[in-house]
Amino acid sequence: MGGQEESGRREGAQSCCSSGRRPQDVGPCCGGVSFALRAGAGAPATPWIEGIVATPAGGVPRVTTKLTRSDRLGGWKARWALGRMRYSVEPGLYAVGSPTSESPVFVSANHKMSLDRLRSNLDGRDGWILVLDTQGINVWCAAGKGTFGTDELVHRVQAVRLDEVVSHNALIVPQLGATGVSAHAVKERSGYTVVYGPVRAEDLPAFLDAGMKAAPGMRRVRFNVRDRLVLIPVELVMALKFVLIIATAFLVLAGLGRDGFSIGRLGTAGVGYAMLFFSAFVACCVLLPALLPWLPGRAFSTKGVWIGLIVGGASVALGAVARADVFGSWPASIGWILFVVAVASFSALNFTGATTYTSLSGVRREMRVALPLQIACAAAGVALWLVARFI
Amino acid sequence: MKQLRYLRNVSTLKLDVETCIGCGMCTIVCPHAVFVIEDSKARIVDLDACMECGACAVNCPVDAIAVRSGVGCATGVIQGALQRTEPTCGCSDKSSCC
Ligand code: SF4
Ligand code: SF4
């Protein structure tokens, strides 16, 4: 086993080992092949590894195809907690089923969720999984940054000595990796042919059964309600810091009034406004992705304006209906709506980073127009709201 | 996905039909069906669907495609502007937008 240990170690030095974070489910960190051997030798085994497949290039860990509760829980945590976004596995070669030298090679990222999605869709099949070092980032993002790319693919193929394991020269690369992988460059530099698989791992069985042919639908990204709603947690957590700062500002500013600054008002109006702002923001974060296709306008900032009008208007209307004199006067109500519209429009613009169809040129063009308007709208809103506290 | 499209006429995608050898790679890698092959040449059929991901240009063996690719992400553009770099998606530090 000594000879194999060297192959994966070079990368280990700069991947998860140096980050100091070693979540339990990542398993032992350094060294590609040796990792599996150690796990087999009674070291704390990773629950999704079930033994080792012997190959001329050494033992290759075999992954399970059934996701367990801990896999799902881990994925869920990674969605909510930013610190765990790098949810990584050791790069290297893995086996699924009982592969032979003829079995297909699937390329993946060392993001645990990418690997989980791949292995769970290979249930009942035999193959090899080549996990690239993308520093724990998923395929699409890593391809955009180039870490899921030609260099790493060519390097990894050599590091695991793939030519000793398989007798063919095809690599099935997820289609969304194409932004970073250049098929003809890989062929030139490694001799391996890149076959682009479907966008979604769920389509892999059908793709394989059709003789590695993707039906047209398999090549398109979607952005349906479910795809959009799963983004809500991350968007919320990311914005939380700013939202809390603004909510605190409302809390403090609410102390201002005709009679100067009143601490008492912090507890009543202040807390009320802070909570109102917080709920308005959460409502925007949920409504935007849910209603995205039906909101008028192509620009995200425009779509956000509608959300702001709905949420801001609703809070004013609810206040009026409940006769809870939340805003006190109509300038304060209008100021409030203006501010919520500005915030909703800005956070909608930010949502562009999570979509599957916005372009850099488009975002740039939109920002040039939208940002100044959003700032003006927010400033006017706060000014009106403040002025209203003195009349 | 017809209803979900972004701004019109902003994509920087360019195709040099002369150079194209009609290999079809661009039709395979594009996640938005921007290209079709007609008479052994690629043709842009849906420019406004292009998200400037750059996959087609990277995979065209004869460099017939040019596109200014990058992340279509406002946070990234702002970060890039503040740090005076290209738009980045923030995946490199511990926060991440993807
Ligand atoms: S990848 Fe390039 S050469 Fe091939 S069809 Fe597209 S434009 Fe033409
Ligand atoms: S840049 Fe991306 S979305 Fe645009 S045409 Fe090329 S592959 Fe398609």
Side-chain angles (χ1 to χ4, degrees):
Chain A
M1 80 190 231
Q4 272 93 53
E5 289 204 17
E6 297 313 312
S7 53
R9 182 161 284 166
R10 212 183 71 106
E11 294 307 294
Q14 66 197 31
S15 64
C16 51
C17 291
S18 55
S19 69
R21 220 169 353 87
R22 197 181 285 183
Q24 205 191 342
D25 31 21
V26 170
C29 209
C30 305
V33 181
S34 62
F35 146 66
L37 295 177
R38 261 189 273 140
T46 342
W48 45 273
I49 302 270
E50 49 166 21
I52 292 162
V53 175
T55 76
V60 171
R62 187 208 317 265
V63 299
T64 59
T65 52
K66 300 267 189 279
L67 296 188
T68 61
R69 258 226 328 249
S70 94
D71 293 324
R72 291 180 208 281
L73 187 69
W76 186 81
K77 277 199 221 149
R79 278 207 191 289
W80 277 95
L82 281 174
R84 304 245 341 201
M85 285 304 284
R86 282 157 190 250
Y87 184 42
S88 57
V89 299
E90 176 67 13
L93 192 62
Y94 294 84
V96 60
S98 309
T100 65
S101 61
E102 309 279 301
S103 301
V105 178
F106 304 92
V107 180
S108 185
N110 77 326
H111 180 58
K112 173 83 172 6
M113 284 165 77
S114 301
L115 180 64
D116 281 357
R117 214 164 293 148
L118 175 59
R119 68 192 170 97
S120 61
N121 282 292
L122 290 176
D123 193 25
R125 310 213 171 226
D126 304 322
W128 306 98
I129 298 179
L130 184 65
V131 174
L132 304 191
D133 184 0
T134 60
Q135 291 156 25
I137 309 281
N138 68 60
V139 172
W140 195 355
C141 286
K145 299 174 76 66
T147 44
F148 189 102
T150 307
D151 287 346
E152 167 63 10
L153 181 53
V154 170
H155 162 77
R156 196 57 58 188
V157 161
Q158 285 155 2
V160 304
R161 291 151 58 190
L162 192 63
D163 55 343
E164 295 174 37
V165 178
V166 296
S167 56
H168 59 82
N169 68 346
L171 303 170
I172 302 176
V173 175
Q175 190 194 322
L176 293 182
T179 301
V181 171
S182 172
H184 56 277
V186 170
K187 175 90 196 177
E188 225 164 78
R189 288 170 52 187
S190 71
Y192 281 86
T193 305
V194 168
V195 179
Y196 284 111
V199 163
R200 284 166 299 275
E202 298 90 273
D203 290 333
L204 261 177
F207 171 82
L208 293 171
D209 292 342
M212 301 215 208
K213 289 268 176 309
M218 294 183 194
R219 297 235 168 269
R220 311 279 162 265
V221 288
R222 294 182 309 214
F223 202 43
N224 58 28
V225 169
R226 206 181 155 271
D227 300 331
R228 300 196 300 270
L229 294 185
V230 297
L231 299 168
I232 294 175
V234 167
E235 294 289 310
L236 279 177
V237 174
M238 287 209 5
L240 203 59
K241 195 166 71 188
F242 300 100
V243 171
L244 289 181
I245 291 174
I246 297 178
T248 313
F250 267 115
L251 178 83
V252 175
L253 289 176
L256 292 172
R258 247 173 308 188
D259 50 351
F261 193 85
S262 144
I263 298 285
R265 261 198 304 266
L266 290 193
T268 52
V271 170
Y273 278 123
M275 279 171 48
L276 200 56
F277 177 74
F278 190 78
S279 357
F281 181 80
V282 173
C284 291
C285 271
V286 175
L287 285 181
L288 178 81
L291 300 180
L292 199 67
W294 300 281
L295 294 167
R298 288 185 177 222
F300 275 59
S301 43
T302 315
K303 291 179 182 288
V305 167
W306 294 106
I307 295 292
L309 286 174
I310 296 172
V311 172
S315 47
V316 169
L318 279 179
V321 168
R323 292 184 194 282
D325 203 9
V326 208
F327 297 98
S329 62
W330 64 264
S333 305
I334 292 178
W336 175 261
I337 294 179
L338 281 179
F339 188 75
V340 172
V341 163
V343 169
S345 175
F346 182 73
S347 39
L349 185 51
N350 255 338
F351 192 66
T352 50
T355 60
T356 54
Y357 68 101
T358 52
S359 63
L360 177 59
S361 304
V363 169
R364 280 217 168 108
R365 169 180 295 188
E366 180 173 347
M367 283 174 79
R368 265 197 298 273
V369 183
L371 270 186
L373 288 176
Q374 287 162 352
I375 292 171
C377 184
V382 172
L384 257 181
W385 180 82
L386 268 183
V387 165
R389 305 205 59 73
F390 293 96
I391 52 175
Chain B
M1 275 244 315
K2 270 287 178 218
Q3 80 262 48
L4 278 179
R5 6 196 61 227
Y6 201 36
L7 310 183
R8 283 186 196 95
N9 280 322
V10 288
S11 174
T12 51
L13 182 72
K14 297 274 179 305
L15 168 68
D16 178 3
V17 184
E18 291 291 298
T19 316
C20 170
I21 52 169
C23 70
M25 208 56 187
C26 50
T27 60
I28 290 177
V29 296
C30 177
H32 285 294
V34 169
F35 296 95
V36 293
I37 300 287
E38 269 172 16
D39 304 328
S40 309
K41 291 280 186 187
R43 189 163 77 82
I44 296 176
V45 282
D46 197 355
L47 182 70
D48 290 343
C50 173
M51 63 182 294
E52 298 183 324
C53 69
C56 53
V58 169
N59 282 279
C60 175
V62 292
D63 285 336
I65 300 172
V67 59
R68 216 180 134 216
S69 64
V71 283
C73 166
T75 323
V77 174
I78 294 175
Q79 264 180 25
L82 292 178
Q83 296 162 1
R84 295 185 190 285
T85 57
E86 278 298 290
T88 70
C89 131
C91 300
S92 54
D93 50 37
K94 53 185 187 309
S95 69
S96 169
C97 62
C98 338

